[in-house]
């Protein structure tokens, strides 16, 4: 997918901008806080219907303004499909409106996956240092872009989980008061739905990680110069046997604590460096290398012609690279520059405070590019 033109009005610190992009590489130069990341976040918003940094829509409106508008004009990389226009408008205190070619979506979930994106940002180290929820979100964001049924399945699982937890919490409280009244038949129905939906989710997550692993290891090895070995493995309660059996086996523990201890909502990714937990043993540079390699492998997964798509044939994702060279030594920077300059990646948006890094990328290959300077929310193309 190619973003040809982006219009921004009152998004974060950007008052107004109309930008025409290269189908290859687009570079944004500016100091920290200038607004480079906000341009990339506006692109992300048009794909996911929310910011990459928050799900609270009100905070993306520019201070002192009552509305914001984002518009994007897209084309498929093969140029055979008709142009695509995406509009998002929102007034303060009101819900946002998303339109595809002037037709408003009934449900925002219908839009997810239409414009696939891989986003690499400084906050990605939370995939290593943060909770398991961060790592589950990584899997869910990727799979949801490739498989529209996934979001619906995940929503049904979460609804069943919430209902079961509500019953467990109520029973736990009533046990304290000496008045247990839990309906075990109803509890069993929610467990059956959790197990049914959970095993579908498990299979799709398992397939994703299995496909991702070799690509991830290759990217990491190249960026690091094969100086260390890494691994990534998927950990799930579904690996212990049929999920319904696993849930019911320890139901007495759930009744005691008042919530569900087992299920795919507890899934995790084990990230190792030379056989030890990356979060404990990895340096900042190694962690940065790990997440960059992980995201580039994600790109390969989404761009693969073997992967199914929501509508039509596979399309190359847009790649957002926000300040990816920070905390990396010169050799790793050089390898990343070599990688992203290759032909396997499509349209790239990249930010940096260091003009030298971007000049290295632009000198690395014979391709079209645009260079933008960002200062205090003003975005100007380099002439």
């Amino acid at each position: 997918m190619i973003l040809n033109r982006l219009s921004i009005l009152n998004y974060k610190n950007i008052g107004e901008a109309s930008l025409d992009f290269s189908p290859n590489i687009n570079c944004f130069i500016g100091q920290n806080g200038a607004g480079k990341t906000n341009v990339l976040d506006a692109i992300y918003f048009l794909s996911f219907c929310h910011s990459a940094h928050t799900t609270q829509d009100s905070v993306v409106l520019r201070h002192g303004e009552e509305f914001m508008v984002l518009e994007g004009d897209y084309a498929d990389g093969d140029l055979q499909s008709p142009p695509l226009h995406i509009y998002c408008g929102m007034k303060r205190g009101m819900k946002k409106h998303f339109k595809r070619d002037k037709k408003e979506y009934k449900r925002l979930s219908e839009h997810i996956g239409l414009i696939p994106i891989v986003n690499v940002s400084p906050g990605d180290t939370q995939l290593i240092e943060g909770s398991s929820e961060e790592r589950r979100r990584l899997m869910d964001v990727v799979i949801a872009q490739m498989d529209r049924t996934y979001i619906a399945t995940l929503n049904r699982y979460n609804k069943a989980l919430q209902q079961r937890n509500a019953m467990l919490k109520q029973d736990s409280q009533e046990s304290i008061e000496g008045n247990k009244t839990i309906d075990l038949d109803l509890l069993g129905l929610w467990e059956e739905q959790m197990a049914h939906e959970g095993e579908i989710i498990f299979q799709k997550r398992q397939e994703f990680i299995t496909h991702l692993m070799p690509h991830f290891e290759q990217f990491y090895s190249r960026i690091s110069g094969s100086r260390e070995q890494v691994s990534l493995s998927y950990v799930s309660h579904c690996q212990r046997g049929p999920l319904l059996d696993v849930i019911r086996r320890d139901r007495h523990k759930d009744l005691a604590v008042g919530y569900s201890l087992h299920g795919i909502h507890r899934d995790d990714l084990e990230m190792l460096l030379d056989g030890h937990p990356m979060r404990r043993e990895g340096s900042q540079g190694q962690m940065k290398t790990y997440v960059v390699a992980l995201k580039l492998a994600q790109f390969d997964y989404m761009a693969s012609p073997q992967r199914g798509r929501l509508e039509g044939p596979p399309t190359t994702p847009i790649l957002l690279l926000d300040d990816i060279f920070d905390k990396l030594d010169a050799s790793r920077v050089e390898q990343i520059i070599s990688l992203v300059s290759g032909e396997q990646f499509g349209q790239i948006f990249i930010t940096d405070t260091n003009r030298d890094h971007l000049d290295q990328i632009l000198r690395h290959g014979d391709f079209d590019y645009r260079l933008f300077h960002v200062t205090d929310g003003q975005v100007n193309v380099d002439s």
Side-chain angles (χ1 to χ4, degrees), residues 146 211 299-309 312-316:
M146 310 305 293
H211 181 92
F299 182 97
D300 263 10
Y301 173 85
M302 295 175 67
S304 170
Q306 283 74 44
R307 304 264 46 83
R309 266 210 89 228
T315 186
T316 303

Side-chain angles (χ1 to χ4, degrees), residues 53-189:
H53 310 291
T54 178
T55 55
Q56 188 177 350
D57 289 332
S58 60
V59 302
V60 307
L61 270 71
R62 193 178 187 215
H63 293 311
E65 302 293 344
E66 293 301 312
F67 68 96
M68 75 88 173
V69 174
L70 298 176
E71 294 184 84
D73 292 310
Y74 299 84
D76 262 345
D78 59 13
L79 302 179
Q80 295 179 0
S81 300
L84 176 68
H85 181 79
I86 301 298
Y87 166 94
C88 174
M90 181 175 64
K91 292 183 179 180
R92 193 175 297 278
M94 301 179 68
K95 73 173 186 176
K96 59 197 166 195
H97 295 273
F98 252 85
K99 297 179 182 180
R100 172 183 175 182
D101 294 331
K102 299 183 180 181
K103 183 177 181 181
E104 186 158 1
Y105 286 103
K106 293 181 180 179
R107 293 183 299 274
L108 294 180
S109 61
E110 296 173 357
H111 180 67
I112 306 303
L114 180 65
I115 306 164
I117 273 184
V118 174
N119 183 41
V120 187
S121 71
D124 286 338
T125 54
Q126 283 300 302
L127 290 169
I128 298 171
E129 300 175 299
S131 69
S132 60
E133 182 179 0
E134 298 285 343
R135 295 178 283 278
R136 288 192 297 274
R137 185 180 297 116
L138 168 72
M139 295 188 282
D140 294 341
V141 165
V142 178
I143 300 169
Q145 291 185 81
M146 310 305 293
D147 181 351
R148 179 163 293 152
T149 66
Y150 187 78
I151 293 178
T153 304
L154 194 60
N155 286 341
R156 288 193 296 270
Y157 176 88
N158 286 332
K159 179 182 178 181
L161 172 64
Q162 290 166 4
Q163 294 292 333
R164 184 176 190 266
N165 280 347
M167 294 185 68
L168 294 171
K169 182 178 180 180
Q170 180 180 359
D171 181 76
S172 179
Q173 182 61 38
E174 290 176 346
S175 295
I176 296 173
E177 298 169 355
N179 183 27
K180 295 182 67 173
T181 59
I182 191 168
D183 184 338
L184 293 178
D185 290 336
L186 181 57
L187 186 69
L189 291 176

Side-chain angles (χ1 to χ4, degrees), residues 15 19 81 94 118 143 187 252-253 285 287 291 335:
L19 308 172
S81 300
M94 301 179 68
V118 174
I143 300 169
L187 186 69
H252 63 286
K253 294 181 182 178
M287 289 189 198
V291 295
Q335 289 300 322

Side-chain angles (χ1 to χ4, degrees), residues 329-345:
D329 58 44
S331 65
R332 296 185 189 227
V333 168
E334 182 179 354
Q335 289 300 322
I336 292 175
I337 287 172
S338 176
L339 278 169
V340 301
S341 302
E343 295 181 355
Q344 72 266 43
F345 297 103

